[in-house]
Amino acid sequence: MIVSTITTLGIQCSKCGEMQFRTLSMFGFSHFNKENYYCSCGALFMTITSFERGVYSIEYPCIYCGDSHYIATKRGKIWGENILQLGCSDKGLPIGYIGPRQQVINCCRGIKKEFVQFAYQLVNDEEKEPEFDIFFIVYAVMEKLGKMVERGQLGCRCGNKNLAVEILPDRIELICEACRAVGIIYTDNKEILHIIDGMGSISLEENMTWLLNDSDKGHHLLKK
Ligand SMILES: [Zn+2]
Ligand SMILES: [Zn+2]
Ligand SMILES: [Zn+2]
């Protein structure tokens, strides 16, 4: 029996949305070996850990839900003839694949397209041609805002925690209907995602408008 010792991994980075491909050698893994894989943007996109008896765990941050997913699998599923799908268990959509190179490349072609179709429901702008980068940023910002709401880190200084959100073609507006405070997050540049990650929480200022964009860092209000 011929066993393949090389496999290809293709996955969508949860931080920048770009597809990443790597070749994995079986010999790179000994017992209890942990390998981290990083995107060209610097973000971790996968951790593979090998255990006894050819069992591996694969952990990958998810572009759809912002959390990590885990699967436990056998060596033969990673270095085998069949393709292994890495998906979002929450949304039921694929994020990546592991397997023979050509099959992985073919399967990965549809991933960005599916993402755009999914995110399209959010933006709901029929005038606009679905464009991956824009959809990705809007989706990622909304997902980050959702996490902040869950943790009680999004609100207004007037005490209102229930902000209205409006998605516009180039920006997302947060509106406090109690005091008319407004927060504007520009969604034309991926850098905005790093800025939001660095903020931790967002607090609107009573009766003020604040702007958040990558070129105008001095203007955003940072509250911890
Ligand atoms: Zn990336
Ligand atoms: Zn997910
Ligand atoms: Zn307010």
Side-chain angles (χ1 to χ4, degrees):
M1 191 173 90
I2 298 166
V3 179
S4 174
T5 61
I6 291 263
T7 195
T8 299
L9 147 69
I11 192 164
Q12 189 172 24
C13 172
S14 68
K15 284 282 184 294
C16 72
E18 295 305 321
M19 295 303 302
Q20 294 293 307
F21 294 92
R22 298 289 184 279
T23 302
L24 312 182
S25 166
M26 196 192 285
F27 302 119
F29 291 89
S30 47
H31 283 341
F32 303 110
N33 198 347
K34 189 172 169 179
E35 287 285 340
N36 291 321
Y37 298 92
Y38 295 92
C39 177
S40 48
C41 78
L44 179 74
F45 66 78
M46 185 173 290
T47 302
I48 301 179
T49 312
S50 63
F51 297 96
E52 280 174 322
R53 292 191 289 274
V55 174
Y56 289 76
S57 86
I58 302 175
E59 180 187 355
Y60 50 97
C62 173
I63 189 169
Y64 289 104
C65 49
D67 292 326
S68 283
H69 296 295
Y70 301 82
I71 59 168
T73 189
K74 291 274 187 168
R75 181 185 291 134
K77 298 262 183 204
I78 299 177
W79 290 275
E81 286 170 25
N82 297 321
I83 199 153
L84 176 69
Q85 189 188 88
L86 306 170
C88 171
S89 46
D90 191 37
K91 302 286 189 295
L93 290 166
I95 302 166
Y97 296 92
I98 298 178
R101 182 168 182 80
Q102 203 50 52
Q103 274 181 283
V104 167
I105 290 169
N106 290 344
C107 288
C108 282
R109 288 209 176 101
I111 287 181
K112 274 186 158 186
K113 229 180 256 170
E114 282 204 62
F115 180 84
V116 168
Q117 277 165 9
F118 178 83
Y120 196 51
Q121 305 156 8
L122 254 187
V123 180
N124 208 2
D125 180 358
E126 284 172 14
E127 301 285 294
K128 245 183 178 170
E129 187 65 17
E131 202 180 302
F132 177 77
D133 279 349
I134 295 167
F135 279 79
F136 174 73
I137 297 169
V138 171
Y139 183 83
V141 169
M142 289 302 289
E143 196 263 327
K144 288 176 195 302
L145 294 177
K147 288 261 149 67
M148 284 181 176
V149 170
E150 274 171 32
R151 294 190 295 248
Q153 292 166 333
L154 181 69
C156 179
R157 286 197 139 192
C158 75
N160 181 11
K161 287 265 179 196
N162 205 352
L163 303 183
V165 177
E166 190 170 2
I167 301 175
L168 296 159
D170 64 334
R171 64 192 191 274
I172 291 173
E173 292 194 0
L174 299 167
I175 301 146
C176 173
E177 284 168 337
C179 76
R180 312 308 305 168
V182 177
I184 298 172
I185 300 169
Y186 286 95
T187 50
D188 52 358
N189 192 310
K190 277 183 185 172
E191 205 40 49
I192 206 76
L193 303 176
H194 295 283
I195 295 172
I196 295 177
D197 279 343
M199 289 175 74
S201 69
I202 292 178
S203 211
L204 298 187
E205 292 277 323
E206 267 176 277
N207 302 310
M208 275 177 62
T209 295
W210 63 252
L211 305 174
L212 185 55
N213 63 27
D214 67 307
S215 56
D216 208 8
K217 286 173 189 166
H219 273 105
H220 75 254
L221 300 174
L222 228 159
K223 296 285 177 307
K224 291 269 174 189

